[in-house]
Tab-separated table of all heavy atoms in Angstrom:
chain	number	residue	atom	x	y	z
A	141	SER	N	-336.986	-137.400	-37.321
A	141	SER	CA	-338.328	-136.824	-37.214
A	141	SER	C	-338.728	-136.663	-35.763
A	141	SER	O	-338.175	-137.318	-34.870
A	141	SER	CB	-339.359	-137.729	-37.913
A	141	SER	OG	-339.505	-138.958	-37.213
A	142	ALA	N	-339.676	-135.757	-35.546
A	142	ALA	CA	-340.422	-135.760	-34.299
A	142	ALA	C	-341.480	-136.846	-34.450
A	142	ALA	O	-342.031	-137.021	-35.536
A	142	ALA	CB	-341.078	-134.402	-34.081
A	143	CYS	N	-341.748	-137.585	-33.378
A	143	CYS	CA	-342.646	-138.746	-33.506
A	143	CYS	C	-343.713	-138.698	-32.427
A	143	CYS	O	-343.406	-138.544	-31.237
A	143	CYS	CB	-341.826	-140.032	-33.407
A	143	CYS	SG	-342.811	-141.518	-33.632
A	144	LEU	N	-344.945	-138.832	-32.853
A	144	LEU	CA	-346.075	-138.757	-31.928
A	144	LEU	C	-346.919	-140.023	-32.064
A	144	LEU	O	-347.361	-140.353	-33.167
A	144	LEU	CB	-346.906	-137.511	-32.278
A	144	LEU	CG	-348.004	-137.065	-31.327
A	144	LEU	CD1	-347.460	-136.781	-29.933
A	144	LEU	CD2	-348.693	-135.818	-31.882
A	145	VAL	N	-347.098	-140.718	-30.939
A	145	VAL	CA	-347.967	-141.891	-30.909
A	145	VAL	C	-349.201	-141.539	-30.084
A	145	VAL	O	-349.079	-141.087	-28.941
A	145	VAL	CB	-347.245	-143.107	-30.280
A	145	VAL	CG1	-348.209	-144.276	-30.120
A	145	VAL	CG2	-346.045	-143.506	-31.107
A	146	LEU	N	-350.367	-141.727	-30.660
A	146	LEU	CA	-351.630	-141.438	-29.970
A	146	LEU	C	-352.506	-142.672	-30.064
A	146	LEU	O	-352.902	-143.072	-31.152
A	146	LEU	CB	-352.338	-140.253	-30.642
A	146	LEU	CG	-351.616	-138.914	-30.527
A	146	LEU	CD1	-352.178	-137.919	-31.524
A	146	LEU	CD2	-351.729	-138.382	-29.107
A	147	ASP	N	-352.800	-143.248	-28.923
A	147	ASP	CA	-353.330	-144.591	-28.902
A	147	ASP	C	-354.471	-144.682	-27.893
A	147	ASP	O	-354.740	-143.726	-27.176
A	147	ASP	CB	-352.166	-145.507	-28.468
A	147	ASP	CG	-352.382	-146.936	-28.873
A	147	ASP	OD1	-353.234	-147.194	-29.729
A	147	ASP	OD2	-351.695	-147.804	-28.316
A	148	GLY	N	-355.144	-145.820	-27.853
A	148	GLY	CA	-356.071	-146.086	-26.765
A	148	GLY	C	-355.276	-146.357	-25.498
A	148	GLY	O	-355.299	-145.588	-24.539
A	149	ARG	N	-354.523	-147.426	-25.502
A	149	ARG	CA	-353.672	-147.731	-24.352
A	149	ARG	C	-352.552	-148.680	-24.743
A	149	ARG	O	-352.668	-149.453	-25.693
A	149	ARG	CB	-354.477	-148.348	-23.213
A	149	ARG	CG	-355.124	-149.669	-23.572
A	149	ARG	CD	-355.581	-150.436	-22.348
A	149	ARG	NE	-354.459	-150.809	-21.504
A	149	ARG	CZ	-354.547	-151.685	-20.496
A	149	ARG	NH1	-355.701	-152.233	-20.206
A	149	ARG	NH2	-353.490	-152.005	-19.787
A	150	GLY	N	-351.480	-148.603	-23.986
A	150	GLY	CA	-350.413	-149.595	-24.063
A	150	GLY	C	-350.295	-150.237	-22.702
A	150	GLY	O	-351.304	-150.535	-22.068
A	151	GLU	N	-349.064	-150.475	-22.229
A	151	GLU	CA	-348.886	-151.130	-20.929
A	151	GLU	C	-349.386	-150.232	-19.802
A	151	GLU	O	-350.123	-150.657	-18.925
A	151	GLU	CB	-347.415	-151.482	-20.692
A	151	GLU	CG	-346.860	-152.517	-21.660
A	151	GLU	CD	-346.344	-151.887	-22.956
A	151	GLU	OE1	-346.502	-150.662	-23.134
A	151	GLU	OE2	-345.792	-152.635	-23.794
A	152	ARG	N	-348.935	-148.952	-19.807
A	152	ARG	CA	-349.366	-148.041	-18.761
A	152	ARG	C	-349.609	-146.622	-19.279
A	152	ARG	O	-349.963	-145.743	-18.505
A	152	ARG	CB	-348.355	-148.010	-17.611
A	152	ARG	CG	-346.963	-147.560	-18.052
A	152	ARG	CD	-346.066	-147.335	-16.853
A	152	ARG	NE	-345.567	-148.579	-16.288
A	152	ARG	CZ	-344.708	-148.638	-15.273
A	152	ARG	NH1	-344.285	-147.519	-14.711
A	152	ARG	NH2	-344.275	-149.806	-14.805
A	153	ALA	N	-349.378	-146.428	-20.550
A	153	ALA	CA	-349.518	-145.087	-21.137
A	153	ALA	C	-350.471	-145.140	-22.327
A	153	ALA	O	-350.909	-146.211	-22.764
A	153	ALA	CB	-348.158	-144.568	-21.589
A	154	SER	N	-350.790	-143.959	-22.849
A	154	SER	CA	-351.668	-143.894	-24.028
A	154	SER	C	-351.032	-143.057	-25.128
A	154	SER	O	-351.648	-142.826	-26.160
A	154	SER	CB	-353.010	-143.271	-23.638
A	154	SER	OG	-352.864	-141.876	-23.441
A	155	HIS	N	-349.796	-142.605	-24.902
A	155	HIS	CA	-349.200	-141.632	-25.812
A	155	HIS	C	-347.693	-141.664	-25.647
A	155	HIS	O	-347.183	-142.022	-24.583
A	155	HIS	CB	-349.811	-140.266	-25.471
A	155	HIS	CG	-348.910	-139.074	-25.571
A	155	HIS	ND1	-348.022	-138.716	-24.578
A	155	HIS	CD2	-348.793	-138.118	-26.529
A	155	HIS	CE1	-347.392	-137.598	-24.920
A	155	HIS	NE2	-347.838	-137.221	-26.098
A	156	LEU	N	-347.013	-141.320	-26.702
A	156	LEU	CA	-345.557	-141.167	-26.639
A	156	LEU	C	-345.178	-140.003	-27.544
A	156	LEU	O	-345.633	-139.919	-28.685
A	156	LEU	CB	-344.868	-142.451	-27.106
A	156	LEU	CG	-343.332	-142.505	-27.082
A	156	LEU	CD1	-342.854	-143.949	-26.930
A	156	LEU	CD2	-342.694	-141.887	-28.317
A	157	ALA	N	-344.387	-139.101	-27.002
A	157	ALA	CA	-343.822	-138.013	-27.814
A	157	ALA	C	-342.318	-138.249	-27.832
A	157	ALA	O	-341.690	-138.341	-26.770
A	157	ALA	CB	-344.150	-136.659	-27.200
A	158	GLY	N	-341.764	-138.383	-29.021
A	158	GLY	CA	-340.348	-138.744	-29.082
A	158	GLY	C	-339.618	-138.070	-30.221
A	158	GLY	O	-340.199	-137.321	-31.023
A	159	HIS	N	-338.328	-138.376	-30.290
A	159	HIS	CA	-337.456	-137.769	-31.287
A	159	HIS	C	-336.605	-138.882	-31.900
A	159	HIS	O	-335.867	-139.564	-31.181
A	159	HIS	CB	-336.559	-136.726	-30.601
A	159	HIS	CG	-335.851	-135.819	-31.556
A	159	HIS	ND1	-335.044	-134.787	-31.158
A	159	HIS	CD2	-335.838	-135.787	-32.912
A	159	HIS	CE1	-334.556	-134.158	-32.219
A	159	HIS	NE2	-335.023	-134.745	-33.290
A	160	TYR	N	-336.748	-139.094	-33.206
A	160	TYR	CA	-335.890	-140.054	-33.911
A	160	TYR	C	-334.721	-139.313	-34.527
A	160	TYR	O	-334.900	-138.392	-35.324
A	160	TYR	CB	-336.676	-140.782	-35.017
A	160	TYR	CG	-337.263	-142.079	-34.530
A	160	TYR	CD1	-338.609	-142.170	-34.207
A	160	TYR	CD2	-336.463	-143.207	-34.374
A	160	TYR	CE1	-339.150	-143.355	-33.734
A	160	TYR	CE2	-336.995	-144.398	-33.906
A	160	TYR	CZ	-338.336	-144.458	-33.589
A	160	TYR	OH	-338.851	-145.636	-33.120
A	161	ARG	N	-333.512	-139.710	-34.129
A	161	ARG	CA	-332.298	-139.177	-34.763
A	161	ARG	C	-331.374	-140.347	-35.057
A	161	ARG	O	-331.038	-141.113	-34.147
A	161	ARG	CB	-331.593	-138.186	-33.840
A	161	ARG	CG	-332.060	-136.752	-34.037
A	161	ARG	CD	-331.457	-135.827	-33.024
A	161	ARG	NE	-331.806	-136.262	-31.671
A	161	ARG	CZ	-331.540	-135.583	-30.574
A	161	ARG	NH1	-330.886	-134.444	-30.639
A	161	ARG	NH2	-331.909	-136.037	-29.394
A	162	GLY	N	-331.014	-140.478	-36.321
A	162	GLY	CA	-330.115	-141.555	-36.705
A	162	GLY	C	-330.648	-142.928	-36.329
A	162	GLY	O	-329.878	-143.826	-35.984
A	163	GLY	N	-331.960	-143.079	-36.394
A	163	GLY	CA	-332.552	-144.381	-36.124
A	163	GLY	C	-332.726	-144.699	-34.650
A	163	GLY	O	-333.134	-145.802	-34.293
A	164	ARG	N	-332.424	-143.734	-33.785
A	164	ARG	CA	-332.583	-143.952	-32.341
A	164	ARG	C	-333.715	-143.089	-31.816
A	164	ARG	O	-333.794	-141.907	-32.139
A	164	ARG	CB	-331.309	-143.578	-31.585
A	164	ARG	CG	-330.101	-144.366	-32.000
A	164	ARG	CD	-330.097	-145.714	-31.324
A	164	ARG	NE	-329.044	-146.559	-31.894
A	164	ARG	CZ	-328.973	-147.866	-31.733
A	164	ARG	NH1	-329.890	-148.489	-31.038
A	164	ARG	NH2	-327.998	-148.559	-32.269
A	165	LEU	N	-334.530	-143.672	-30.973
A	165	LEU	CA	-335.663	-142.950	-30.393
A	165	LEU	C	-335.289	-142.411	-29.017
A	165	LEU	O	-334.807	-143.159	-28.164
A	165	LEU	CB	-336.868	-143.899	-30.267
A	165	LEU	CG	-338.084	-143.338	-29.529
A	165	LEU	CD1	-338.752	-142.225	-30.320
A	165	LEU	CD2	-339.097	-144.452	-29.234
A	166	THR	N	-335.501	-141.134	-28.818
A	166	THR	CA	-335.454	-140.563	-27.468
A	166	THR	C	-336.886	-140.236	-27.086
A	166	THR	O	-337.565	-139.482	-27.798
A	166	THR	CB	-334.623	-139.263	-27.449
A	166	THR	OG1	-333.349	-139.536	-28.022
A	166	THR	CG2	-334.445	-138.748	-26.033
A	167	THR	N	-337.354	-140.819	-25.989
A	167	THR	CA	-338.721	-140.535	-25.547
A	167	THR	C	-338.709	-139.265	-24.704
A	167	THR	O	-337.943	-139.156	-23.741
A	167	THR	CB	-339.277	-141.723	-24.738
A	167	THR	OG1	-339.289	-142.875	-25.587
A	167	THR	CG2	-340.699	-141.451	-24.263
A	168	LEU	N	-339.539	-138.307	-25.086
A	168	LEU	CA	-339.568	-137.022	-24.384
A	168	LEU	C	-340.721	-136.944	-23.387
A	168	LEU	O	-340.636	-136.244	-22.387
A	168	LEU	CB	-339.683	-135.882	-25.402
A	168	LEU	CG	-338.548	-135.816	-26.425
A	168	LEU	CD1	-338.839	-134.764	-27.489
A	168	LEU	CD2	-337.224	-135.521	-25.739
A	169	TYR	N	-341.801	-137.622	-23.687
A	169	TYR	CA	-342.928	-137.609	-22.759
A	169	TYR	C	-343.844	-138.797	-23.069
A	169	TYR	O	-344.031	-139.139	-24.237
A	169	TYR	CB	-343.742	-136.306	-22.889
A	169	TYR	CG	-344.600	-136.032	-21.670
A	169	TYR	CD1	-344.122	-135.272	-20.613
A	169	TYR	CD2	-345.887	-136.575	-21.566
A	169	TYR	CE1	-344.901	-135.056	-19.477
A	169	TYR	CE2	-346.670	-136.364	-20.433
A	169	TYR	CZ	-346.163	-135.587	-19.393
A	169	TYR	OH	-346.932	-135.377	-18.273
A	170	THR	N	-344.379	-139.398	-22.016
A	170	THR	CA	-345.471	-140.364	-22.222
A	170	THR	C	-346.592	-139.978	-21.275
A	170	THR	O	-346.351	-139.673	-20.105
A	170	THR	CB	-345.064	-141.819	-21.916
A	170	THR	OG1	-344.595	-141.890	-20.574
A	170	THR	CG2	-343.999	-142.320	-22.857
A	171	GLN	N	-347.803	-139.950	-21.800
A	171	GLN	CA	-348.952	-139.656	-20.950
A	171	GLN	C	-349.454	-140.956	-20.340
A	171	GLN	O	-349.818	-141.883	-21.060
A	171	GLN	CB	-350.078	-138.996	-21.759
A	171	GLN	CG	-351.309	-138.684	-20.934
A	171	GLN	CD	-350.986	-137.830	-19.717
A	171	GLN	OE1	-350.431	-136.747	-19.846
A	171	GLN	NE2	-351.292	-138.324	-18.526
A	172	VAL	N	-349.461	-141.012	-18.994
A	172	VAL	CA	-349.888	-142.250	-18.349
A	172	VAL	C	-351.415	-142.332	-18.309
A	172	VAL	O	-352.118	-141.316	-18.355
A	172	VAL	CB	-349.309	-142.393	-16.916
A	172	VAL	CG1	-347.805	-142.564	-16.979
A	172	VAL	CG2	-349.694	-141.221	-16.043
A	173	LEU	N	-351.903	-143.561	-18.241
A	173	LEU	CA	-353.332	-143.820	-18.094
A	173	LEU	C	-353.788	-143.328	-16.714
A	173	LEU	O	-352.946	-143.167	-15.832
A	173	LEU	CB	-353.579	-145.323	-18.248
A	173	LEU	CG	-353.299	-145.864	-19.651
A	173	LEU	CD1	-353.170	-147.385	-19.624
A	173	LEU	CD2	-354.408	-145.443	-20.618
A	174	PRO	N	-355.049	-143.053	-16.507
A	174	PRO	CA	-356.177	-143.361	-17.396
A	174	PRO	C	-356.389	-142.330	-18.512
A	174	PRO	O	-357.319	-142.494	-19.288
A	174	PRO	CB	-357.375	-143.385	-16.452
A	174	PRO	CG	-357.031	-142.366	-15.411
A	174	PRO	CD	-355.538	-142.475	-15.227
A	175	HIS	N	-355.575	-141.270	-18.537
A	175	HIS	CA	-355.789	-140.249	-19.563
A	175	HIS	C	-355.453	-140.820	-20.933
A	175	HIS	O	-354.337	-141.298	-21.144
A	175	HIS	CB	-354.943	-139.016	-19.263
A	175	HIS	CG	-355.312	-138.398	-17.958
A	175	HIS	ND1	-356.439	-137.636	-17.800
A	175	HIS	CD2	-354.744	-138.492	-16.731
A	175	HIS	CE1	-356.535	-137.260	-16.529
A	175	HIS	NE2	-355.522	-137.767	-15.864
A	176	SER	N	-356.415	-140.776	-21.833
A	176	SER	CA	-356.215	-141.399	-23.140
A	176	SER	C	-357.168	-140.779	-24.153
A	176	SER	O	-358.384	-140.841	-23.985
A	176	SER	CB	-356.477	-142.912	-23.050
A	176	SER	OG	-356.556	-143.462	-24.346
A	177	LEU	N	-356.602	-140.186	-25.187
A	177	LEU	CA	-357.449	-139.631	-26.256
A	177	LEU	C	-358.133	-140.753	-27.024
A	177	LEU	O	-359.283	-140.625	-27.448
A	177	LEU	CB	-356.598	-138.776	-27.203
A	177	LEU	CG	-355.990	-137.517	-26.561
A	177	LEU	CD1	-354.972	-136.886	-27.500
A	177	LEU	CD2	-357.070	-136.507	-26.203
A	178	GLY	N	-357.431	-141.855	-27.202
A	178	GLY	CA	-358.006	-142.993	-27.925
A	178	GLY	C	-359.172	-143.611	-27.161
A	178	GLY	O	-360.232	-143.872	-27.738
A	179	LEU	N	-358.991	-143.830	-25.840
A	179	LEU	CA	-360.077	-144.418	-25.046
A	179	LEU	C	-361.266	-143.466	-24.972
A	179	LEU	O	-362.419	-143.897	-24.991
A	179	LEU	CB	-359.594	-144.784	-23.638
A	179	LEU	CG	-358.599	-145.949	-23.546
A	179	LEU	CD1	-358.241	-146.231	-22.091
A	179	LEU	CD2	-359.147	-147.224	-24.193
A	180	LEU	N	-360.981	-142.158	-24.896
A	180	LEU	CA	-362.062	-141.170	-24.885
A	180	LEU	C	-362.901	-141.275	-26.157
A	180	LEU	O	-364.138	-141.298	-26.123
A	180	LEU	CB	-361.466	-139.765	-24.769
A	180	LEU	CG	-362.464	-138.616	-24.766
A	180	LEU	CD1	-362.801	-138.217	-23.327
A	180	LEU	CD2	-361.908	-137.404	-25.504
A	181	TYR	N	-362.228	-141.365	-27.285
A	181	TYR	CA	-362.925	-141.476	-28.573
A	181	TYR	C	-363.688	-142.803	-28.656
A	181	TYR	O	-364.789	-142.870	-29.204
A	181	TYR	CB	-361.912	-141.348	-29.722
A	181	TYR	CG	-362.430	-140.611	-30.938
A	181	TYR	CD1	-362.435	-139.218	-30.999
A	181	TYR	CD2	-362.928	-141.304	-32.041
A	181	TYR	CE1	-362.906	-138.540	-32.117
A	181	TYR	CE2	-363.403	-140.637	-33.162
A	181	TYR	CZ	-363.381	-139.251	-33.192
A	181	TYR	OH	-363.852	-138.582	-34.298
A	182	GLU	N	-363.101	-143.852	-28.069
A	182	GLU	CA	-363.795	-145.153	-28.037
A	182	GLU	C	-365.071	-145.070	-27.197
A	182	GLU	O	-366.103	-145.639	-27.549
A	182	GLU	CB	-362.877	-146.231	-27.451
A	182	GLU	CG	-361.786	-146.677	-28.390
A	182	GLU	CD	-360.944	-147.799	-27.800
A	182	GLU	OE1	-361.404	-148.462	-26.841
A	182	GLU	OE2	-359.817	-148.013	-28.287
A	183	GLU	N	-364.965	-144.378	-26.049
A	183	GLU	CA	-366.146	-144.223	-25.186
A	183	GLU	C	-367.262	-143.504	-25.947
A	183	GLU	O	-368.427	-143.870	-25.868
A	183	GLU	CB	-365.800	-143.377	-23.949
A	183	GLU	CG	-364.783	-143.989	-23.013
A	183	GLU	CD	-365.402	-145.048	-22.136
A	183	GLU	OE1	-366.611	-144.971	-21.892
A	183	GLU	OE2	-364.668	-145.962	-21.721
A	184	LEU	N	-366.889	-142.479	-26.673
A	184	LEU	CA	-367.871	-141.733	-27.456
A	184	LEU	C	-368.467	-142.625	-28.547
A	184	LEU	O	-369.680	-142.602	-28.793
A	184	LEU	CB	-367.209	-140.501	-28.085
A	184	LEU	CG	-368.108	-139.693	-29.026
A	184	LEU	CD1	-369.246	-139.033	-28.255
A	184	LEU	CD2	-367.305	-138.650	-29.788
A	185	THR	N	-367.623	-143.419	-29.179
A	185	THR	CA	-368.085	-144.340	-30.229
A	185	THR	C	-369.176	-145.259	-29.689
A	185	THR	O	-370.222	-145.450	-30.322
A	185	THR	CB	-366.889	-145.153	-30.759
A	185	THR	OG1	-365.903	-144.233	-31.248
A	185	THR	CG2	-367.291	-146.094	-31.869
A	186	ALA	N	-368.946	-145.798	-28.491
A	186	ALA	CA	-369.940	-146.688	-27.877
A	186	ALA	C	-371.213	-145.909	-27.527
A	186	ALA	O	-372.329	-146.390	-27.738
A	186	ALA	CB	-369.352	-147.346	-26.631
A	187	HIS	N	-371.051	-144.685	-27.009
A	187	HIS	CA	-372.222	-143.869	-26.627
A	187	HIS	C	-373.093	-143.564	-27.852
A	187	HIS	O	-374.312	-143.469	-27.751
A	187	HIS	CB	-371.737	-142.562	-25.982
A	187	HIS	CG	-372.847	-141.727	-25.414
A	187	HIS	ND1	-373.437	-141.995	-24.194
A	187	HIS	CD2	-373.497	-140.633	-25.910
A	187	HIS	CE1	-374.393	-141.110	-23.962
A	187	HIS	NE2	-374.450	-140.269	-24.987
A	188	LEU	N	-372.447	-143.437	-28.998
A	188	LEU	CA	-373.188	-143.105	-30.223
A	188	LEU	C	-373.740	-144.356	-30.921
A	188	LEU	O	-374.242	-144.277	-32.039
A	188	LEU	CB	-372.295	-142.311	-31.178
A	188	LEU	CG	-371.908	-140.903	-30.676
A	188	LEU	CD1	-370.908	-140.245	-31.608
A	188	LEU	CD2	-373.139	-140.018	-30.514
Side-chain angles (χ1 to χ4, degrees):
S141 68
C143 183
L144 190 58
V145 174
L146 294 164
D147 201 16
R149 62 164 296 192
E151 295 86 355
R152 60 171 77 176
S154 74
H155 144 279
L156 181 153
H159 193 177
Y160 267 102
R161 270 174 301 187
R164 300 279 171 196
L165 173 68
T166 307
T167 299
L168 301 173
Y169 200 91
T170 57
Q171 179 55 57
V172 293
L173 293 163
H175 299 283
S176 168
L177 295 170
L179 291 182
L180 179 95
Y181 216 82
E182 286 183 19
E183 296 282 334
L184 175 67
T185 302
H187 187 79
L188 293 174

